Amino acid sequence: DIRMTQSPASLSASLGETVNIECLASEDIYSDLAWYQQKPGKSPQLLIYNANSLQNGVPSRFSGSGSGTQYSLKINSLQSEDVATYFCQQYNNYPLTFGSGTKLEIK
Amino acid sequence: EVQLVESGGGLVQPKGSLKLSCAASGFDFNSYGMSWVRQAPGKGLDLVADISSKSYNYATYYADSVKDRFTISRDDSQSMVYLQMDNLKTEDTALYYCTVPNYGGPYNWFAYWGQGTLVTVSS
């Protein structure tokens, strides 16, 4: 199984800051990576697919990058509505696997 | 607008059974695979099962942890997907989400998610 290691596990940042969340795959996943945002008490929502493609309707302050085994999600100009847990997911091979999540809070 | 409405969750004893249903609307159901993803309380996300579209021969996948206990199925005429869960274990306790992958076949990201239905396995 491909293991997805997310870091950090939690993050506290100020409004307007830029934050980065990392996801490390245990083997090359060839950019078959998605990012999701899960707000408290809500279902996950797709943010990014194919490592760097923005899902329709997602604000442009979210961006994804990476290749091979290393990927990141960047949030520019942090807003209060970005408080959530963020998950990465690989779909290069079964079982499709998720990272353990990064909980983002406002400082 | 894509809508996914799950139902069928509840409290069940170990070794019992439940059948989850998901009513889908707002997209061409026949052209997409469907998946069930679960989230144990306070935990991460796990793909439980998925089923491809007719174009991909309704191929199915099951996580090792549920193989031979769970069965995913779909009714294209009703835009419904089901998850029959038998021989339930306490570790199956979770919120079960119905999700729509990005196309009809396997190897997907999950474009849309329902609100989830809670399954609690406890004596």
Side-chain angles (χ1 to χ4, degrees):
Chain A
D1 297 6
I2 298 176
R3 185 168 59 254
M4 305 301 291
T5 303
Q6 262 185 260
S7 61
S10 63
L11 178 58
S12 182
S14 300
L15 294 174
E17 265 193 59
T18 295
V19 301
N20 283 282
I21 298 169
E22 309 292 327
C23 191
L24 178 66
S26 60
E27 60 187 77
D28 195 331
I29 56 171
Y30 302 95
S31 297
D32 292 335
L33 184 99
W35 289 97
Y36 301 88
Q37 175 193 64
Q38 185 175 32
K39 295 184 178 181
K42 300 295 185 182
S43 307
Q45 299 292 313
L46 177 69
L47 297 174
I48 302 281
Y49 59 94
N50 291 344
N52 59 15
S53 296
L54 195 66
Q55 171 71 347
N56 288 344
V58 174
S60 58
R61 65 178 182 275
F62 291 90
S63 62
S65 63
S67 63
T69 62
Q70 296 184 296
Y71 299 87
S72 63
L73 174 70
K74 183 178 180 181
I75 310 173
N76 287 319
S77 302
L78 190 66
Q79 316 251 315
S80 56
E81 60 261 35
D82 298 334
V83 169
T85 299
Y86 294 84
F87 295 94
C88 60
Q89 178 232 333
Q90 66 81 19
Y91 44 93
N92 181 255
N93 209 351
Y94 276 83
L96 311 185
T97 47
F98 293 83
S100 55
T102 295
K103 187 174 184 179
L104 175 59
E105 298 176 331
I106 301 296
K107 197 180 293 182
Chain B
E1 180 192 4
V2 173
Q3 287 200 330
L4 302 168
V5 180
E6 302 99 332
S7 60
L11 174 63
V12 62
Q13 292 187 339
K15 300 186 180 181
S17 297
L18 275 179
K19 186 174 185 177
L20 307 184
S21 301
C22 173
S25 61
F27 64 103
D28 181 11
F29 183 84
N30 294 358
S31 297
Y32 286 85
M34 296 295 294
S35 304
W36 289 95
V37 175
R38 70 184 179 185
Q39 186 170 35
K43 300 295 186 182
L45 300 163
D46 292 299
L47 174 64
V48 175
D50 64 31
I51 184 166
S52 295
S53 67
K54 182 178 181 180
S55 298
Y56 291 85
N57 299 314
Y58 299 123
T60 57
Y61 160 82
Y62 296 94
D64 284 346
S65 58
V66 307
K67 206 169 289 183
D68 300 325
R69 299 189 298 121
F70 290 13
T71 303
I72 189 170
S73 61
R74 60 188 292 161
D75 182 342
D76 289 354
S77 67
Q78 299 290 322
S79 298
M80 296 286 296
V81 63
Y82 304 98
L83 186 68
Q84 176 67 45
M85 305 186 296
D86 298 319
N87 190 20
L88 282 158
K89 304 178 179 181
T90 55
E91 53 263 40
D92 295 319
T93 293
L95 188 61
Y96 285 71
Y97 293 106
C98 173
T99 70
V100 185
N102 55 298
Y103 79 118
Y107 301 96
N108 290 289
W109 65 86
F110 303 106
Y112 299 98
W113 299 63
Q115 289 306 301
T117 186
L118 181 62
V119 172
T120 303
V121 184
S122 175
S123 54

